[in-house]
Amino acid sequence: MNKLDHTKTGTLRNIGVIAHVDAGKTTTTERILFYTGESHRVGEVHDGTTTMDFDPQERQRGITISSAATTVFWKGAQLNLIDTPGHIDFNIEVNRSLRVLDGAVVVFDGVAGVEPQTETNWRLADKYQVPRLAFINKLDRVGADFDRVVRMIEQRLGVKTAVLHWPIGSEHDFKGVIDLLNMRALLWLGAHAGDPVQITEVPEELLAPALAARARLIEAAVEQDEQALATYVRGEDVAVELLQACVRHGTLSGAFVPVLAGSAFKNKGVEPLLDAVVDYLPSPSERQGASVGDHLSALAFKLVEGEHGSMVFVRVYAGRLRAGDTVLNANTGKRERVSRLYEVHADKRIERAEIGAGDIAAIVGLKDTLTGHTLCDPAHPVVLESIVVPEPVIDIAVEPKSQADQQGLSTALQMLAREDPSLRVRQDAESGQVILSGMGELQLEVTLENLRSRHGVNVSTGRPQVAYRETITKAFEVTHVHKKQSGGPGQFAEVKLRLAPLPRGEGIQFENLVTGGAVPREFIPAVEAGVRRAALSGVVAGHASVDLKATLLDGSFHEKDSSSMAFELAAAAAFREAAAQAGPIVLEPVMAVEVLTPADHLGDVIGDLSRRRGHVRSQDARGPASVIDAHVPLSEMFGYIGQLRALSSGRAQYSMQFDHFDAVPARRASHS
Ligand SMILES: Nc1nc2c(ncn2[C@@H]2O[C@H](COP(=O)(O)OP(=O)(O)OP(=O)(O)O)[C@@H](O)[C@H]2O)c(=O)[nH]1
Ligand SMILES: [Mg+2]
């Protein structure tokens, strides 16, 4: 334990707002825009008047689809904020935002508490080591229970909490919070966002619970600093400034997560949330592994296509980025020109001449830069860790409606796929159909609507299909000779290839064990290319193969008659022969499904899940409702919402996300 350094806090915060669908992320962000003076009226999700959800589909559907960035100022600090979507189909947006952000505000529904996508996003924040604050929102709702949500955070997310706020009143009587560090009440009694907060004494009847909560807070905080601990152990008061420094230290190190309370919709608790962002979340230089140095390195994390080319969002890690600069895209090896640089405010932008390390901005003028690419100083190349894109689990075939649609389709789909890396476009080798693949039905629906409204391309579609995969279950070795007698050079190649299964999620790996020149070095990449190409359509039913390792063991060549092409063909053929003998099977995506149902429908819901080949993993009470966690194959989940509503008189809800691939039971595999 060290003494804290109070001075190194900086004035820049790059912050994401993350949570399950409907927790109130956009509503909270809209209040932040209002209180910071960025916006003069309060936008509402249900009126379609939000600044952050500016896309027509977002306003119409009342959900966030694409993450939106903005910059606000609060008490001398600059906050670059990104409001992310909660729906799991758009999780790439959370993923790529957290990759470049330094801190997060996690919003919890005061009734529902820790919901599945909140947990998923929490784990993502763990992965990127992003310090966070918990904001327990919607405390005005019937059934809200601050204490229960705090316990859920501790139990389900496995973290310690440092509760900074104690709610005053609850449900329709929720009035404000007690600021436990300062032991004062913050009351929002007016109906409008502009009505000032009143600061008063702690109400008599809440004094006892507030003091008990404060004692717990201080106990957690003083652990962070020798001097504070010594003072505390002597039984003396620890100064509030020192306690705050302790809370900041514990937040940054992950020792605990500060918890705040409020109701964004009723304009309560948002200003202290802003204070907490400045006081407790890190500046760029305080992040672990914060890069140093004067040479530019920046990560492209988002791309938006517009009429005049694409706008690429970047986070600068080191050096400075100036309009007019020529930078190196370290992933493509190409130089690119930064024509213009912008600070982004949702759908508006302000031109900037340059931005420095730690800041976020958008570039116009890049031609060949995609999400996850690094831009750097051409004289000092560096590649930053990229962004992991999830594997799609659902396919849909699209057919252009007219000749004109046919012409626009491919360009439009490529643009949409550049914006959304979790969307894939391919042409089916056999049918020639264009297949869109993605994370779920909602994402595909939104994409098709964008195709129509933004690109003017009309298509008819097939039914969404599960994206199956193939793999092998045992190792097998083959030798394949590729040889054409008919003459001409470049027709001979021999490869000895071994295939072996890998654990789920490992993808395709290639290893070369030939060293003595049996296969000349220059042909090894062709062997790998042949393997990867053959793996794209598996031997059982043409689904992409995954989770196997191909090893090149041996081979031979002819001085005159060998070529890359010959080795690629030989390797592809060897792959197919070996895969056919290696116990090939079909895999299907299996989803983690959480159903929240009134207890009296529990039996029906479970019975229905079993009929869908579901495996119930746990079953808990959450308030008066029951929560079921199950694994269910995605192929059984089409149309589930209708069935669930029917079973529960419309009272049950569910959410699901991809969990893993699993073998399709033998009898079904033949139909897949
Ligand atoms: N009663 C109450 N309703 C709220 C509160 N905050 C948000 N809401 C409502 O909850 C609904 C969802 O709010 P959003 O802000 O869109 O939620 P979100 O987290 O951005 O949702 P996604 O972006 O779709 O993941 C809207 O109807 C809001 O008006 C709150 O504090 N109290
Ligand atoms: Mg939203």
Side-chain angles (χ1 to χ4, degrees), residues 17-31 44-47 50 53 58 61-65 83-87 90 107-109 135-142 174 262-268:
V17 186
I18 62 174
H20 192 84
V21 185
D22 265 3
K25 297 173 291 296
T26 302
T27 305
T28 303
T29 310
E30 293 292 324
R31 269 52 186 186
E44 296 293 6
V45 174
H46 56 257
D47 299 335
T50 48
D53 284 351
E58 293 182 321
R61 293 173 190 265
I63 58 166
T64 305
I65 293 169
D83 175 28
T84 66
H87 197 286
F90 311 116
V107 180
F108 295 85
D109 180 324
F135 179 59
I136 302 183
N137 185 38
K138 298 201 181 186
L139 288 173
D140 61 299
R141 275 188 64 195
V142 174
F174 176 65
S263 161
F265 183 57
K266 298 283 165 101
N267 312 304
K268 300 183 203 312

Side-chain angles (χ1 to χ4, degrees), residues 49-113:
T49 56
T50 48
T51 304
M52 302 307 289
D53 284 351
F54 55 82
D55 176 83
Q57 282 208 66
E58 293 182 321
R59 290 190 166 173
Q60 180 208 328
R61 293 173 190 265
I63 58 166
T64 305
I65 293 169
S66 185
S67 57
T70 194
T71 296
V72 299
F73 295 87
W74 183 252
K75 298 195 174 163
Q78 175 184 338
L79 276 52
N80 295 326
L81 271 180
I82 296 185
D83 175 28
T84 66
H87 197 286
I88 194 68
D89 283 13
F90 311 116
N91 203 241
I92 183 71
E93 295 288 71
V94 186
N95 192 335
R96 59 180 167 187
S97 301
L98 286 175
R99 167 69 184 82
V100 298
L101 293 171
D102 301 316
V105 171
V106 188
V107 180
F108 295 85
D109 180 324
V111 182

Side-chain angles (χ1 to χ4, degrees), residues 370-408:
L370 296 175
T371 296
H373 286 178
T374 301
L375 299 176
C376 59
D377 181 340
H380 298 89
V382 52
V383 182
L384 300 170
E385 188 193 329
S386 189
I387 291 163
V388 183
V389 180
E391 282 293 315
V393 293
I394 176 169
D395 289 349
I396 197 165
V398 300
E399 197 89 51
K401 282 198 170 147
S402 71
Q403 191 66 35
D405 294 321
Q406 166 89 49
Q407 276 161 7

Side-chain angles (χ1 to χ4, degrees), residues 116 119 156 590-595 602 605-606 609-610 613-620 627-633 657-660 662:
E119 191 169 345
R156 284 192 63 170
V590 176
M591 311 303 278
V593 178
E594 185 186 284
V595 186
L602 186 63
V605 171
I606 289 182
L609 286 173
S610 309
R613 295 192 284 135
H615 165 63
V616 174
R617 305 178 65 233
S618 72
Q619 184 181 321
D620 278 311
V627 184
I628 305 156
D629 274 308
H631 279 164
V632 191
Q657 55 186 299
F658 171 72
D659 196 84
H660 62 280
D662 207 351

